[in-house]
Amino acid sequence: MSKSSFDVVIIGGGVNGTGIARDCAYRGFSTCLVEQRDLATGASGANSGMIHGGARYMVSDVKTTKKSCEDSGYIQQMAPHMLFRIPFLMPITQKGIAGKIFGSLFETYFEGYDQFQPLKNGKPHTRLTTQEALAIEPGLKPKMVNGAVTMDEWGIDPFRLCTANALSAAEAGATIRNHTRVTGFLFEGKRVCGVKVQDFRTGAHEEIRASVVFNAGGPWVLKILEGTGATAKMRPGKGVHVILDRRVVNVAVMCSAVDGRSIFIMPHDNSTIIGTTDDDFYGDPDSLTVSKDEVEYLIQGI
């Protein structure tokens, strides 16, 4: 069994893990990142690829909206070549007086959101007539649409982002270990001082000592902590997307599922993403499945 030593060991090769590895390496810390599969193959890759500006949190948590827009702005400064703008349409489906009321409420809501748009280089919202909305997105049903409101978000390829972070970290001296799973921890008394790992490609076991061990395992955080005595506050969730092998919309469109939840259909490169469900999940993150009901829930709403 071989041994090695670093200032920092990071568990998890997602957007947080690779970003932390890059930051630590550029600050001069000897850094090692271990990922049980490949970069961004967990939650960082299995998502809509959207840099969320936090518009949905305006009512419940304005601070989160501001923070989300700020983070989006930071990512644009660091990786502008990876980002692309995603225009969104929010169709107004109510008719008559109800439609006018909902249209005014939508507009007031996004007037508030416009205060934060500059933080993420977003465009201010606009109010569209039914004819303008149909000209932009002909797939909308004319009889169901009574105008629309626009906003925008930013999209990114998370695999490229994580890979670029890892390459940048490696150029600054970090060691990046894919297909390397943490099998346990090293202790000095009650203090964690490193990790035990296994290289899946060779089967070899190794001990890696470190002054700091950072758990960036995403959905695997709780599983990684088993046997350490440490705890973390997490409410695991599962969000399912349906990906179509072609573009069927010009812009992203917000829709409503059967239970009233907001879902969306969104172009991404040459494909289309429909999402997303949001359910509590307490199973094994290594054994995720998608049910027919979850797919039908999204398709029906769209």
Side-chain angles (χ1 to χ4, degrees):
M1 180 182 291
S2 61
K3 298 181 180 180
S4 52
S5 181
F6 295 87
D7 293 326
V8 183
V9 167
I10 299 152
I11 305 169
V15 68
N16 288 312
T18 57
I20 293 166
R22 179 181 185 272
D23 192 275
C24 288
Y26 271 92
R27 292 174 188 271
F29 298 113
S30 58
T31 303
C32 178
L33 181 146
V34 293
E35 159 60 43
Q36 67 174 342
R37 290 185 289 180
D38 210 339
L39 301 177
T41 50
S44 292
N47 59 66
S48 62
M50 184 163 46
I51 306 296
H52 201 310
R56 70 172 65 176
Y57 306 119
M58 279 284 293
V59 172
S60 59
D61 190 354
V62 175
K63 289 183 179 178
T64 296
T65 298
K66 182 181 179 183
K67 185 66 175 175
S68 297
C69 288
E70 287 176 339
D71 284 345
S72 177
Y74 295 148
I75 294 169
Q76 289 179 59
Q77 293 176 40
M78 291 185 288
H81 57 295
M82 294 189 188
L83 292 171
F84 52 91
R85 194 183 297 273
I86 307 173
F88 266 83
L89 280 184
M90 268 71 66
I92 300 166
T93 56
Q94 293 78 10
K95 302 293 184 179
I97 295 176
K100 292 181 179 179
I101 292 172
F102 271 89
S104 297
L105 288 173
F106 267 27
E107 195 151 17
T108 300
Y109 188 91
F110 285 104
E111 282 174 355
Y113 187 58
D114 283 347
Q115 299 177 56
F116 305 106
Q117 291 272 33
L119 296 173
K120 67 183 182 75
N121 192 28
K123 294 183 180 296
H125 83 283
T126 60
R127 179 81 175 267
L128 303 179
T129 64
T130 300
Q131 290 71 29
E132 289 169 334
L134 290 171
I136 293 171
E137 189 47 72
L140 296 172
K141 293 184 178 180
K143 292 183 180 180
M144 292 183 65
V145 178
N146 186 22
V149 175
T150 70
M151 60 164 284
D152 64 10
E153 294 282 19
W154 290 93
I156 197 166
D157 183 329
F159 300 98
R160 286 186 67 203
L161 178 63
C162 291
T163 301
N165 269 331
L167 287 170
S168 186
E171 288 171 359
T175 298
I176 307 298
R177 300 274 303 270
N178 287 347
H179 308 291
T180 303
R181 185 173 189 170
V182 172
T183 59
F185 290 88
L186 305 175
F187 291 90
E188 288 179 353
K190 292 184 178 181
R191 178 181 172 276
V192 172
C193 62
V195 293
K196 300 176 182 178
V197 301
Q198 181 181 15
D199 188 319
F200 282 161
R201 290 165 296 192
T202 65
H205 291 267
E206 185 179 346
E207 291 184 355
I208 305 175
R209 302 187 70 84
S211 299
V212 173
V213 176
F214 196 101
N215 184 355
W220 286 268
V221 161
L222 296 177
K223 194 171 183 178
I224 292 167
L225 288 177
E226 289 176 1
T228 66
T231 59
K233 272 192 173 184
M234 282 188 68
R235 181 179 174 183
K238 175 186 173 186
V240 170
H241 295 78
V242 174
I243 302 176
L244 308 181
D245 64 353
R246 68 206 70 186
R247 287 179 69 127
V248 299
V249 286
N250 295 321
V251 296
V253 181
M254 296 299 298
C255 308
S256 292
V258 66
D259 57 358
R261 279 190 68 252
S262 291
I263 57 176
F264 60 80
I265 180 168
M266 179 179 77
H268 188 100
D269 292 333
N270 292 323
S271 63
T272 303
I273 298 175
I274 297 173
T276 172
T277 63
D278 185 11
D279 297 309
D280 289 333
F281 179 78
Y282 298 101
D284 185 347
D286 286 312
S287 303
L288 281 172
T289 57
V290 176
S291 70
K292 182 179 178 181
D293 282 350
E294 288 169 322
V295 173
E296 289 298 330
Y297 171 86
L298 294 172
I299 297 296
Q300 183 190 57
I302 299 301

